[in-house]
Amino acid sequence: MNLRSPRNVNYADPSLHAHGLYIGGAWLPGSGIPVMDPSTASILAEVADASIEDARRAVDAADAAAAGWRATPARQRAEILRRWFGLMTEHSEELATLISLENGKALPDARGEVAYAAEFFRWYAEEAVRIAGEFRHAPSGANHILVDHEPIGISILITPWNFPAAMATRKIGPALAAGCTVILKPASETPLTAYAMARLGEEAGVPAGVVNVLTTRNSGPVVNAMLADPRVRKLSFTGSTGVGRILLAEAAKSVVSCSMELGGNAPFIVFDDADLGATLDGAMIAKMRNAGEACTAANRFYAQAGIHDAFVKGLTERMADLKIGAGYDPATQCGPMITRKAVQNIDRVVAEAIERGARATTGGAPLPGDGYFYPPTVLENVPATAAIAHEEIFGPVAPVYKFETEEEAIRLANDTEYGLAAYVFSRDLSRAMRVGKGIESGMVAINRGLMSDPAAPFGGVKQSGLGREGGVRGILEFVEPKYFAVEF
Ligand code: NAD
């Protein structure tokens, strides 16, 4: 059965995407995974639950399409990606609604995500034609060194639920630009956006089998079966550090190349000389984009003693002012969490911090009702030993800690196994840069609450990951250098 998408369909309609797996350019019927609306805890649609056999079929399809896609001129691959960018932009409001429905994020956040996600297709359409090689003279003079960059091969792309569109395009864009065919496994909580984008990809002219999408409740065995297939050469994963470690071990068995975008625990450091208004603007973006469900979310606020009280007061006022509601309600500024379990995790770390002496200046307990709501919360007097100081909160909770000196700020910022993102606010740029250099993280935002940019290398150090996505480096994760020793 091939349910090719007609034009003028409404991509925001969840039932449109409930047809099943997308393998080899065909929509295979299936069911078994209910997709929830976290604002109401009701079922939006049901999508297919792929088996190991389906996963094998997806690898077969990616393999059958591989030679043709690799041989497709870069300009042509670029034009398909550029058309996909155009279609995502054309259907941006429907995609944003769909994201709000299944993920719960507020519409302005969902619109921001669609624009950010589409931009990866435009950026990699531009990069596809610029994959450079190398030419050198051997120092001995014996020969010439020629390096070609070949597509790495069939790539498995695994994405989380918190950015259902952007985490997929950040991988599909460079993989397709490099000449690889892919199998995308989106998170079971938010598969509708992935299937909607696959339909737009079909319309953009992506050949059958170049992009395959499968959803499964049986992630471990299904993904392991694909990793064990010798035709699969790449795993690009975004998700938690725990699952990343499991997948690294699994990929090691067949020596599959891995890129890992894992968890974060970002410090947000405010010095006495910072512009308070601009810092609060930055803090609200860094904390509340996606209601705190972001790997780059500010997880620990460190305020210097002289500005601490004013910062807590300002942050409390702004957080208390946010309108909570269903993501797709246009008035909403803070949507629900993804699941009830997510609310319980937040409740656990906040309650433990309060038990150890922290004080909630706003929020501090889950909201009643069917939806998965936790209110914007600010905590002060949080002891450094509290669990909340070390775990990824993944919710709208801002713990604020006091510090005295620059050295102390750097030491506290680095007191974590993670190293993804950090924020520094100070009017003294020399100091901000010095502190930024002292922090062990892959990314530092200075006097800014937002750092994600398709043109910049995104990624972490320590337990936050391996490799980079975006920018000119993102495509290098999907190529393999081949060296020719040439004498002439
Ligand atoms: P998760 O690790 O639970 O799941 C991520 C994906 O892996 C999902 O598709 C899931 O179905 C799949 N998965 C789970 N177990 C698996 C297994 N054994 N084998 C194969 N696949 C498996 O993470 P999540 O809860 O969906 O997302 C939140 C996490 O993602 C947070 O830790 C966050 O920091 C991280 N994240 C990181 C980045 C980044 O770029 N560094 C971006 C977004 C989210």
Side-chain angles (χ1 to χ4, degrees), residues 270 272 301-309 312 380-382 399-405 408-409 412:
V270 188
D272 285 348
F301 288 85
Y302 295 111
Q304 203 167 14
I307 200 169
H308 174 273
D309 292 355
V312 171
E380 63 173 357
N381 297 330
V382 186
V400 188
Y401 311 81
K402 198 184 281 185
F403 74 91
E404 303 281 344
T405 67
E408 188 187 0
L412 289 166

Side-chain angles (χ1 to χ4, degrees), residues 294-342:
C295 52
T296 50
N299 214 49
R300 301 169 288 152
F301 288 85
Y302 295 111
Q304 203 167 14
I307 200 169
H308 174 273
D309 292 355
F311 179 73
V312 171
K313 183 169 177 288
L315 191 61
T316 302
E317 284 166 6
R318 292 191 187 209
M319 292 283 271
D321 226 29
L322 294 176
K323 179 157 183 342
I324 304 166
Y328 39 83
D329 175 343
T332 293
Q333 293 168 300
C334 177
M337 304 293 97
I338 189 72
T339 54
R340 192 170 306 286
K341 188 158 166 263

Side-chain angles (χ1 to χ4, degrees), residues 20-35:
L21 311 170
Y22 181 57
I23 296 178
W27 293 93
L28 308 174
S31 60
I33 304 180
V35 184

